[in-house]
Amino acid sequence: MSDRNNPMQPIVPFEPVSSAQLTVRSGWTAQIKWDGVRMLTYWDGAATRLVNRRLNDKTLQYPEFARASDYIAARSAILDGELIAMNRERPSFHEIMRRDRARKSDTISRGVAGVPVTYMVFDVLYCEGEWLTDKPLRERQAVLRSLLKAHPQVQLVADHDDPAALLAVMKSHRMEGIVTKDLDSRYLIGGKDGRWMKHKIDRDLAAGVGGVTLQGGIVNALLLGLYDEAGCFCYIGHAGAGKLTHEDYRSLTARLPELRIARKPFANRTEREREAVWIAPDRVAVKVNYLEWTTGGTLRHPVLQGFLDAGAADCSFAQPE
């Protein structure tokens, strides 16, 4: 919950509900769903903080946005948006994770130089000492348009009045999908309901890693799982293909001594049990794209997209697809 007396206390953002059915409604708008990292910017007139939806401070990882006065024309504000990094053709979750997971100052500096990031802003929650969360989205957007300064790495997310056409364009460009929003919707801090709806083209999920296999002493594949309602960790398949680099695998290999556990963490039978190295499943998580679920309860054609800042609660069967 938010602290109305302390607006710079980080809050959990309003989340859209997944929907396979695209419904065209009067008084709604459609926006591109960027394949990036949700990020709120807190500006109190003196200091800037960037905090993700899990309430982790990411200000150090993105120093190019650490001076909000460069892009906010107000003495105080809270912005909601998404940080994205591009590959040659489209936003890349793998590329933004290279920036998001950086910890050392030299790695962060190389990331700023080598992986440019854009802040796609779509909402404002607080401005000039006033909470705007009880105002309808259309009014918050009007404030946001007057609030953002011209900045090469900050953009206002565009509205589109034809969600079907926008979704078709996203499919043609192999983008992630769209979000549709009720222009009369208030911003529900820490909430999730059908006033915002996401329509994803690719199927993906957050999965915990309960084991790895090695080749030449280096991790080459991950054994994936999800938590069920009873808290049991269930095997859903293994994957090695995707966007993880040799450097990513080497980094995970170096962490194995601290992650390794003696017993299999999965409640059910897995593939590659004889060659697997078991690891604590609540320590490493990944984003996985997949084609469909098999009748055996595993993912068909899982493709690794990148490591996630996620916990056990995120890696469950209950997560929206």
Side-chain angles (χ1 to χ4, degrees), residues 1-19:
M1 296 294 292
S2 65
D3 183 348
R4 294 277 168 164
N5 297 318
N6 182 12
M8 297 301 114
Q9 180 68 33
I11 57 94
V12 177
F14 185 30
E15 294 281 358
V17 172
S18 293
S19 175

Side-chain angles (χ1 to χ4, degrees), residues 157-179:
V157 173
D159 284 322
H160 301 267
D161 58 9
D162 189 339
L166 181 62
L167 187 61
V169 172
M170 294 301 97
K171 287 181 178 178
S172 69
H173 288 278
R174 291 162 53 204
M175 297 274 282
E176 189 178 22
I178 69 172
V179 178

Side-chain angles (χ1 to χ4, degrees), residues 47-250:
T48 305
R49 294 182 68 194
L50 273 67
V51 182
N52 68 12
R53 68 180 184 88
R54 290 179 54 81
L55 305 183
N56 294 323
D57 194 306
K58 293 289 183 175
T59 313
L60 291 177
Q61 277 73 21
Y62 303 100
E64 58 267 65
F65 305 106
R67 192 166 66 179
S69 58
D70 289 347
Y71 52 92
I72 298 177
R75 290 167 293 182
S76 62
I78 302 175
L79 304 182
D80 191 355
E82 198 160 8
L83 293 176
I84 65 170
M86 304 291 289
N87 60 18
R88 287 173 293 181
E89 300 176 342
R90 62 186 64 84
S92 168
F93 184 77
H94 175 73
E95 290 299 309
I96 193 64
M97 281 295 102
R98 290 177 57 193
R99 291 291 307 274
D100 201 73
R101 294 173 61 82
R103 297 292 183 268
K104 299 179 180 179
S105 58
D106 57 340
T107 306
I108 292 171
S109 297
R110 288 197 301 271
V112 171
V115 185
V117 170
T118 301
Y119 190 25
M120 306 300 298
V121 184
F122 51 71
D123 215 330
V124 55
L125 285 61
Y126 181 88
C127 182
E128 297 287 13
E130 179 186 2
W131 281 99
L132 307 179
T133 49
D134 289 333
K135 297 184 180 296
L137 176 59
R138 66 178 82 247
E139 292 186 22
R140 300 199 307 273
Q141 287 183 328
V143 173
L144 187 58
R145 285 191 290 269
S146 66
L147 186 67
L148 290 182
K149 296 180 180 179
H151 187 282
Q153 290 177 271
V154 178
Q155 292 188 30
L156 178 67
V157 173
D159 284 322
H160 301 267
D161 58 9
D162 189 339
L166 181 62
L167 187 61
V169 172
M170 294 301 97
K171 287 181 178 178
S172 69
H173 288 278
R174 291 162 53 204
M175 297 274 282
E176 189 178 22
I178 69 172
V179 178
T180 55
K181 299 177 179 179
D182 183 348
L183 287 169
D184 288 325
S185 61
R186 275 60 175 170
Y187 191 103
L188 181 60
I189 292 173
K192 176 186 293 188
D193 64 42
R195 295 171 299 160
W196 287 15
M197 306 186 76
K198 58 184 177 183
H199 312 272
K200 298 203 295 188
I201 297 167
D202 288 330
R203 305 184 75 181
D204 60 53
L205 51 74
V209 180
V212 300
T213 58
L214 307 175
Q215 184 175 47
I218 304 296
V219 172
N220 71 332
L222 312 180
L223 278 68
L224 309 173
L226 295 176
Y227 290 92
D228 65 14
E229 293 181 354
C232 295
F233 190 62
C234 303
Y235 177 74
I236 60 168
H238 71 275
K243 297 180 180 179
L244 297 188
T245 65
H246 193 61
E247 181 181 347
D248 292 327
Y249 282 126
R250 281 190 172 278

